[in-house]
Amino acid sequence: MKKIIPLSVLLLFLTAFNSLIAQKKNLSLEEIFGGSFRTEGLDELRSLNNGKEYAVLNFDRNNRTSTIDVYDYKSGEKVSTLLNSKNLDGIQYFISYELSQDESKILFATDREAIYRRSSLGTFYVYDIKTKDFKLVATHKIQEPTFNNDGSKVAYGYQNNLYIKDLKSGVTEQITQDGEKNGIINGITDWVYEEEFAFVRAFEWSTNGDKLAYIKFDESEVPQFNMDVYGNELYPTAEVFKYPKAGEANSKVSLHIYNLANKKTAEVDLSKYNNYYIPRLLWTQENNLVSVQLTNRHQNIVDLVFVNVADQTSQLILKETDDAYVDITDNLTFLNNNSFFWTSEKDGFNHIYQYDKNGKMLAQVTKGPWEVTKYYGFDQNTGRVYYQSTENGSINRDVYSILPSGKNKVRLTQKNGTNSAAFSADYTYFINTFSNAETPYVYTLHQARKGKMLREIKNNEGLKNKLASYKISPKEFSTIKINGEDLNMYMIKPLDFDETKQYPLFMYQYSGPGSQSVGNRWMGRNDYWHEMLANQQDIIVVCVDGRGTGFKGRDFKKMTQKELGKYEVEDQIAVAQKLGQLPYIDAERTGIWGWSYGGFMSSNALFQAPNTFEMAIAVAPVTSWRFYDSIYTERYMQTPQENASGYDENSPLSHVDGLKGEYLLVHGSADDNVHVQNTMRLVEALVQANKQFDWRIYPDKNHGIYGGNTRLHLYTLMTNFIKNNL
């Protein structure tokens, strides 16, 4: 028998509920971008060699001092302080640290000067833990200083050359001489390698420290990019650097081995392999054997090659191929006998494989219709492999262990959401970082063998309690059937959502290859902003990961090959149209926004579906893949010379005639990544099509468009644009 609730009771409940909501505070942009909702974490976590203790970098905000503190895994008690900036004459605080392998010395930085996304110059010191002495590595700012294995030397880059400092004698030796700005770079990656292969240090010490392997970049034939920097002086200056756009010349790369004993350098002949790019360099467990990963320009073949530096011979150990492209990762791990672990998508999903030292496959370690998302390592004592995966759903992450045979798998984390692990040196323990859409980061200690939780280290309950007094709506996760695929989606509704009303729909997406925007994890700043829009402007915010995004298998991710912006745009348009049929969505008020690839997408959606979208915001968008860098673009599109239609038919520049709605276009003038050229070309195309739109250029701001009040200004601009046009 169905129980009927009297109307008077229902009205009383709704009145009380609305009264409770009304008492909650509104989020403000000043709070969002002023750090009011900052989370606490474990900064620069390092496991010590004994496997019983770990070190963390702590910063005292009140006194502005830094410490490297050591804690006992089991008890959580602080054991010691390795370094305190109070004890360093002339140094107030430091911002990063590395321990030598024997943990006798600390390499720390006092200040950093950003170059590009990952690269920087810094002032570095070496601190001797026993003697408590500390000395400058160099009197000028340097790049990527790195200890050799016994901590007796430091190698680093400076002005495109490599140097080695002997810490015992204090003597510094310059080991390359031909470094030249915009010409030759030794041991440090060029712009496009840094951005797209995601590494800066292109040199590696051999196991016993008697050799240094490094990559040389000859970028003399790479086209030059000029970027005006307006600054505060009477005349602007020009920043000039080498940037290979799609189809243009790239750096010529070569592998070199420097021998510290005879002070000679030998170039390694890699001509018989696919050696257009050298995206990874790693010494094996044998002192004279270095591994190098090589790939062709299309990036659909990766050769794993072992180089014997003693006799200058080389051997192809493994060849990975794909009809689209092969992802470069840092998962290659060598065991004592030089067998190794490797990840591959060759069975349709990203999984772990084990090979012997000659490249013979020993086992496929993991298998199933899910993705390995991180490889953590192998415990040679227990014979277990540790990894993170999507076995519990593609929007979640869990930590597992398994035998190399693929047997005896153990799920080590139990809470649904995003779990990641930092293992102790001996794999006895791991520190789990957990969050989900309702829970800010929680750090807990677990036994590695079965995953048993031993204690909580840190949580963000204070932030969670603080947010309880604000208007925060739950993210509603689901899937939506679009173009034959079940796409991951979240929806944010106003707290006082009334299904009898109609709400504007505002869509957010990134959509780039292999990316994920719909994840069961804690909020970022955009999430707070979306909450603010939902609860202060009565908007329903939706995010959908369309075809081409990641963590749902190789075929789903790579179906956009040679057609970036085709299927992804079709999906976002179809989502908007399907959601527009819901009774509580006002289909006549639909907007979309995104940044970078997302700005490319939002522009295309508005231009190509003028009867579906009424407004769009594009921040730092690519407007033609012809303007973007070679490694990223050609990985997915091949070159413009090979695929002109793929570049042009999916470019917003080709669809400006379709603009009917309201459009806001934003860019930073000093964006070294997606050049402001993209926006300027689109502006000209829109002007010549006689289309009205709004746009904003932020002087001297890079791809992130931040610094001072810049983010506050930008999001105020976007908030007002939405308020006036949706």
Side-chain angles (χ1 to χ4, degrees):
M1 183 175 173
K2 198 171 184 179
K3 188 173 182 180
I4 299 174
I5 301 174
L7 181 61
S8 59
V9 174
L10 184 61
L11 289 173
L12 188 64
F13 171 78
L14 290 174
T15 301
F17 179 70
N18 288 330
S19 175
L20 188 64
I21 291 174
Q23 293 173 23
K24 289 181 176 286
K25 294 186 287 187
N26 287 326
L27 293 164
S28 72
L29 292 173
E30 288 78 8
E31 289 173 305
I32 295 171
F33 295 101
S36 295
F37 307 123
R38 185 186 291 115
T39 55
E40 294 185 4
L42 299 177
D43 194 18
E44 304 269 358
L45 173 66
R46 308 267 193 276
S47 176
L48 299 189
N49 293 338
N50 60 25
K52 303 180 187 311
E53 297 166 340
Y54 62 90
V56 173
L57 175 61
N58 289 318
F59 182 67
D60 185 331
R61 292 184 179 277
N62 294 324
N63 297 314
R64 298 189 64 77
T65 56
S66 305
T67 54
I68 302 171
D69 296 314
V70 175
Y71 299 86
D72 181 81
Y73 273 110
K74 194 169 185 178
S75 69
E77 296 297 319
K78 188 166 92 168
V79 176
S80 64
T81 295
L82 293 179
L83 183 60
N84 189 329
S85 63
K86 285 182 179 179
N87 301 325
L88 303 175
D89 290 340
I91 296 175
Q92 185 177 15
Y93 63 92
F94 48 89
I95 56 175
S96 68
Y97 77 96
E98 292 289 344
L99 291 167
S100 61
Q101 192 172 81
D102 66 359
E103 298 176 354
S104 66
K105 298 182 181 69
I106 301 172
L107 182 66
F108 66 91
T110 56
D111 63 290
R112 287 266 175 93
E113 175 188 331
I115 303 174
Y116 301 119
R117 186 193 297 266
R118 295 176 177 86
S119 57
S120 63
L121 289 163
T123 302
F124 290 87
Y125 296 81
V126 171
Y127 176 81
D128 188 301
I129 294 175
K130 185 177 181 179
T131 67
K132 303 189 184 320
D133 291 332
F134 69 100
K135 295 177 181 178
L136 272 169
V137 177
T139 56
H140 40 256
K141 288 187 175 181
I142 59 176
Q143 285 186 270
E144 301 296 315
T146 306
F147 284 120
N148 65 348
N149 280 354
D150 68 4
S152 64
K153 297 177 178 65
V154 171
Y156 62 86
Y158 174 63
Q159 293 186 344
N160 291 15
N161 281 311
L162 283 175
Y163 295 76
I164 294 176
K165 180 166 186 172
D166 188 308
L167 298 177
K168 294 177 181 177
S169 67
V171 174
T172 299
E173 179 185 2
Q174 182 175 342
I175 68 169
T176 66
Q177 309 294 328
D178 56 349
E180 178 187 358
K181 182 175 173 59
N182 293 326
I184 301 292
I185 314 173
N186 292 290
I188 302 293
T189 54
D190 65 2
W191 187 94
V192 71
Y193 267 66
E194 173 184 334
E195 179 67 26
E196 306 305 354
F197 286 138
F199 74 115
V200 176
R201 179 166 58 84
F203 65 84
E204 293 285 343
W205 285 102
S206 63
T207 305
N208 68 10
D210 64 339
K211 298 176 185 69
L212 194 74
Y214 66 92
I215 304 170
K216 181 192 293 286
F217 297 80
D218 180 351
E219 55 178 2
S220 56
E221 295 179 14
V222 178
Q224 190 165 280
F225 185 77
N226 298 286
M227 186 169 67
D228 284 336
V229 178
Y230 297 98
N232 298 312
E233 302 302 320
L234 187 60
Y235 291 93
T237 59
E239 184 174 340
V240 179
F241 59 99
K242 297 300 186 86
Y243 184 108
K245 292 180 185 280
E248 298 298 313
N250 286 279
S251 290
K252 294 176 181 177
V253 290
S254 52
L255 177 63
H256 301 258
I257 310 295
Y258 177 75
N259 189 312
L260 276 72
N262 60 23
K263 302 186 185 304
K264 291 183 179 180
T265 300
E267 180 176 347
V268 177
D269 181 8
L270 299 171
S271 60
K272 60 184 177 181
Y273 309 109
N274 289 283
N275 66 339
Y276 191 81
Y277 296 121
I278 308 178
R280 289 294 184 270
L281 178 66
L282 181 67
W283 287 89
T284 71
Q285 296 294 339
E286 295 181 27
N287 188 60
N288 284 325
L289 205 61
V290 63
S291 77
V292 59
Q293 294 180 45
L294 308 167
T295 184
N296 58 339
R297 183 157 190 164
H298 283 169
Q299 301 169 66
N300 61 353
I301 303 171
V302 170
D303 291 341
L304 175 63
V305 174
F306 285 3
V307 176
N308 188 318
V309 299
D311 59 14
Q312 291 294 298
T313 59
S314 62
Q315 180 184 359
L316 178 65
I317 298 297
L318 181 66
K319 182 183 288 287
E320 189 84 21
T321 63
D322 191 284
D323 289 341
Y325 59 89
V326 179
D327 282 315
I328 301 297
T329 74
D330 293 310
N331 295 331
L332 175 61
T333 306
F334 292 101
L335 307 187
N336 289 337
N337 62 2
N338 256 8
S339 65
F340 59 92
F341 290 101
W342 176 267
T343 53
S344 170
E345 294 179 317
K346 63 184 177 182
D347 80 342
F349 294 87
N350 193 49
H351 283 297
I352 302 169
Y353 296 79
Q354 186 180 15
Y355 295 85
D356 71 12
K357 65 181 181 179
N358 297 310
K360 178 185 176 183
M361 192 176 87
L362 300 175
Q364 180 173 350
V365 181
T366 60
K367 190 172 185 178
W370 42 267
E371 303 264 281
V372 169
T373 45
K374 281 185 184 176
Y375 167 78
Y376 289 118
F378 176 70
D379 181 2
Q380 301 200 54
N381 293 319
T382 62
R384 300 195 69 80
V385 176
Y386 294 94
Y387 66 94
Q388 180 201 62
S389 78
T390 62
E391 290 173 67
N392 193 29
S394 58
I395 68 170
N396 296 313
R397 302 287 186 274
D398 276 291
V399 179
Y400 292 81
S401 75
I402 194 170
L403 293 175
S405 63
K407 296 179 180 178
N408 195 16
K409 179 164 60 177
V410 179
R411 180 181 172 184
L412 300 175
T413 51
Q414 302 303 321
K415 292 183 179 179
N416 284 346
T418 299
N419 294 274
S420 63
F423 284 86
S424 62
D426 61 0
Y427 291 96
T428 299
Y429 305 106
F430 71 91
I431 293 175
N432 185 53
T433 304
F434 167 77
S435 78
N436 60 24
E438 296 82 37
T439 311
Y441 301 102
V442 179
Y443 300 85
T444 49
L445 180 71
H446 298 251
Q447 287 180 341
R449 186 173 178 182
K450 297 293 183 183
K452 179 184 177 182
M453 190 181 115
L454 300 176
R455 62 183 179 86
E456 185 177 279
I457 299 171
K458 182 177 286 192
N459 62 45
N460 279 279
E461 280 297 311
L463 174 60
K464 190 173 182 179
N465 294 335
K466 178 179 181 177
L467 288 171
S469 64
Y470 285 83
K471 294 177 183 176
I472 302 286
S473 300
K475 272 186 180 177
E476 299 177 7
F477 291 101
S478 63
T479 60
I480 183 169
K481 192 81 169 182
I482 297 293
N483 293 320
E485 299 283 352
D486 291 319
L487 305 181
N488 292 335
M489 177 174 80
Y490 70 70
M491 181 180 288
I492 302 173
K493 298 172 182 172
L495 270 176
D496 58 356
F497 172 74
D498 181 349
E499 63 182 12
T500 65
K501 289 174 57 177
Q502 282 200 321
Y503 297 86
L505 173 65
F506 190 49
M507 295 171 59
Y508 166 68
Q509 45 63 58
Y510 177 74
S511 302
S515 66
Q516 185 176 61
S517 297
V518 182
N520 190 9
R521 55 181 177 259
W522 184 241
M523 298 194 293
R525 286 178 172 178
N526 280 338
D527 295 296
Y528 286 106
W529 183 55
H530 293 156
E531 292 283 354
M532 183 180 138
L533 295 176
N535 287 298
Q536 293 176 44
Q537 295 196 25
D538 262 3
I539 290 171
I540 289 179
V541 178
V542 164
C543 180
V544 173
D545 281 334
R547 288 173 291 178
T549 56
F551 309 108
K552 299 185 77 173
R554 180 251 176 231
D555 293 346
F556 183 86
K557 179 174 72 172
K558 295 179 180 178
M559 67 172 60
T560 60
Q561 190 71 6
K562 297 178 70 173
E563 293 281 5
L564 290 188
K566 176 178 171 62
Y567 301 109
E568 307 97 303
V569 171
E570 288 176 1
D571 286 352
Q572 297 299 319
I573 293 170
V575 167
Q577 292 171 346
K578 188 167 186 174
L579 293 178
Q581 297 172 10
L582 295 172
Y584 53 83
I585 296 290
D586 182 352
E588 300 301 313
R589 291 191 292 164
T590 302
I592 186 169
W593 92 282
W595 198 305
S596 194
Y597 199 106
F600 161 76
M601 288 287 300
S602 60
S603 302
N604 264 326
L606 183 66
F607 299 171
Q608 294 184 39
N611 297 321
T612 300
F613 293 96
E614 281 66 49
M615 62 84 74
I617 299 173
V619 183
V622 173
T623 61
S624 170
W625 291 108
R626 291 177 180 270
F627 302 148
Y628 200 55
D629 76 60
S630 56
I631 292 178
Y632 180 93
T633 309
E634 294 170 17
R635 181 185 301 151
Y636 311 116
M637 295 285 281
Q638 298 188 354
T639 66
Q641 295 87 339
E642 297 168 297
N643 182 26
S645 63
Y647 279 79
D648 297 334
E649 290 174 11
N650 302 311
S651 165
L653 298 173
S654 300
H655 300 282
V656 291
D657 288 339
L659 176 60
K660 285 170 55 177
E662 301 300 320
Y663 182 51
L664 174 61
L665 177 60
V666 178
H667 222 116
S669 73
D671 191 334
D672 63 276
N673 185 355
V674 180
H675 302 149
V676 74
Q677 172 191 23
N678 285 270
T679 281
M680 293 304 184
R681 288 289 288 270
L682 183 55
V683 165
E684 176 62 11
L686 289 165
V687 169
Q688 295 310 317
N690 197 27
K691 299 294 182 177
Q692 296 299 311
F693 63 99
D694 293 310
W695 63 302
R696 191 70 50 93
I697 299 293
Y698 284 92
D700 295 344
K701 297 300 180 282
N702 66 14
H703 195 55
I705 312 182
Y706 62 89
N709 281 326
T710 306
R711 277 286 175 95
L712 176 60
H713 189 279
L714 170 58
Y715 277 79
T716 301
L717 169 71
M718 295 195 295
T719 302
N720 291 336
F721 187 81
I722 295 164
K723 186 175 182 179
N724 295 332
N725 295 295
L726 192 62

